[in-house]
Amino acid sequence: MRVQMLGLCRFSYLGLRGYQVDHDSIAARRAYLYDPDRLERRWLWFTTVALPGWLAQTDPDFTLVIMTGPDLPEPWLGRLRELCGRVPQLQLSLVEPMDFHLQACRAAVAPHLDPQAEAIGHFRHDDDDAVALDYVEATRRDFASVQPLFRAEGRLSLDYGRGLMIEARDGQLKITPRICHNMGVALTVFLTPDIPDTALHYNHTQLARWMPGVQISRPLMFIRSIHGDSDSGDMGPGLPWEPQEGAMNRLLRLRFGLRRGVLADLARQLHEGSAGGGAGGAG
């Protein structure tokens, strides 16, 4: 079966719905999203935490659409253009503000659908989260083992539940291992190509309303970041798990291409930038 892996990452997209932080007007939303200090913090999270995993996927056959508005201020729009220009898996989609967020998500993703695919593996990715270096490879492999269920239903979710919650508070880094159900990151919604939806069309906490789901609890597959700019600022329900003694640094490096010291520096830099009236530069 020909499977396309197609994701959507919203980078400060200017729309009125689709987020937990509400605003009464486009002007209020624009002022909030396009605040220069906030944008620089989001860029730091994106480039430090989210991007390394996508640049080093063991299976490079995927597309991640970066969705933002055509009026995203410089230098951030230019940075996104440059990044997507040199990484073929990343596709920049500039979408005008829309009242209906799911319509905007569909507009961003639709041009990148593979008409030859028999199944589309839709996934959402927040710009401050991370997936493991083998997320795409593992998803293809594990989906192959449950294809009969997908063929029978035409829809299927495949969730990797083992992750790390990274909190950046007051300049300090805290890492909490958690096993979660349908957290949203490292969660793939497989649809037939004739279904004009994206992963965001389905509330990830209520997927059982629309499709059967399979959860795989090993290996470690995601990082979810929690900080002052998070759309949702808590860990949510889940179960604890304990890495082997002294294994955290190795897990971060081997699974995500990240180093604990770099994450600790990020937490400290964001705090110092906030205390000083702005975040530091991003290279």
Side-chain angles (χ1 to χ4, degrees):
M1 178 181 289
R2 181 177 176 85
V3 177
Q4 180 189 19
M5 290 292 291
L6 178 60
L8 179 62
C9 177
R10 301 166 295 174
F11 188 87
S12 294
Y13 170 68
L14 182 59
L16 280 181
R17 295 177 176 86
Y19 300 94
Q20 295 188 39
V21 178
D22 290 326
H23 295 93
D24 295 329
S25 67
I26 284 287
R29 171 71 75 181
R30 179 181 282 108
Y32 169 76
L33 289 179
Y34 289 175
D35 173 75
D37 292 338
R38 179 190 177 278
L39 282 173
E40 192 64 16
R41 292 192 298 271
R42 299 306 301 199
W43 184 258
L44 284 170
W45 279 107
F46 179 55
T47 55
T48 304
V49 177
L51 195 55
W54 294 117
L55 296 181
Q57 283 294 304
T58 55
D59 180 351
D61 185 12
F62 70 94
T63 297
L64 179 62
V65 178
I66 311 295
M67 172 185 175
T68 193
D71 63 342
L72 181 74
E74 296 293 352
W76 299 279
L77 182 56
R79 292 174 181 176
L80 287 176
R81 289 187 189 277
E82 188 278 330
L83 173 65
C84 295
R86 63 181 169 85
V87 181
Q89 290 88 355
L90 304 182
Q91 297 292 318
L92 183 61
S93 181
L94 304 181
V95 181
E96 295 286 349
M98 293 186 182
D99 284 342
F100 298 100
H101 190 72
L102 295 182
Q103 179 183 353
C105 292
R106 181 179 289 128
V109 166
H112 305 283
L113 290 167
D114 180 358
Q116 304 302 317
E118 299 171 78
I120 312 292
H122 292 274
F123 58 92
R124 60 188 293 171
H125 191 80
D126 288 349
D127 58 14
D128 54 359
D129 293 339
V131 293
L133 305 180
D134 61 347
Y135 162 68
V136 173
E137 178 184 359
T139 301
R140 288 185 184 279
R141 180 192 64 233
D142 293 330
F143 175 69
S145 68
V146 293
Q147 276 189 22
L149 183 57
F150 172 75
R151 291 185 185 277
E153 298 283 343
R155 306 169 192 241
L156 177 72
S157 67
L158 180 63
D159 174 44
Y160 291 103
R162 187 173 297 256
L164 301 173
M165 301 293 184
I166 290 185
E167 295 180 79
R169 308 279 193 192
D170 299 322
Q172 300 298 312
L173 176 73
K174 180 182 178 182
I175 302 178
T176 305
R178 299 275 281 183
I179 297 175
C180 307
H181 181 63
N182 289 350
M183 176 56 62
V185 58
L187 168 66
T188 309
V189 173
F190 288 93
L191 304 173
T192 53
D194 59 297
I195 299 176
D197 292 342
T198 71
L200 279 91
H201 280 74
Y202 303 91
N203 185 325
H204 59 89
T205 67
Q206 302 177 27
L207 275 174
R209 294 176 58 190
W210 300 287
M211 65 191 73
V214 175
Q215 183 176 64
I216 299 173
S217 60
R218 295 181 185 274
L220 171 62
M221 196 62 81
F222 72 84
I223 288 174
R224 180 168 179 261
S225 299
I226 302 171
H227 50 88
D229 290 313
S230 296
D231 193 43
S232 177
D234 60 74
M235 283 192 277
L239 301 171
W241 66 277
E242 292 294 334
Q244 294 181 354
E245 185 70 24
M248 184 60 72
N249 292 352
R250 179 172 56 84
L251 286 172
L252 287 170
R253 185 177 70 255
L254 295 181
R255 296 299 297 153
F256 303 101
L258 300 174
R259 295 187 179 276
R260 189 169 191 160
V262 172
L263 297 176
D265 287 344
L266 173 64
R268 184 164 49 252
Q269 181 180 3
L270 292 170
H271 178 67
E272 292 172 353
S274 176

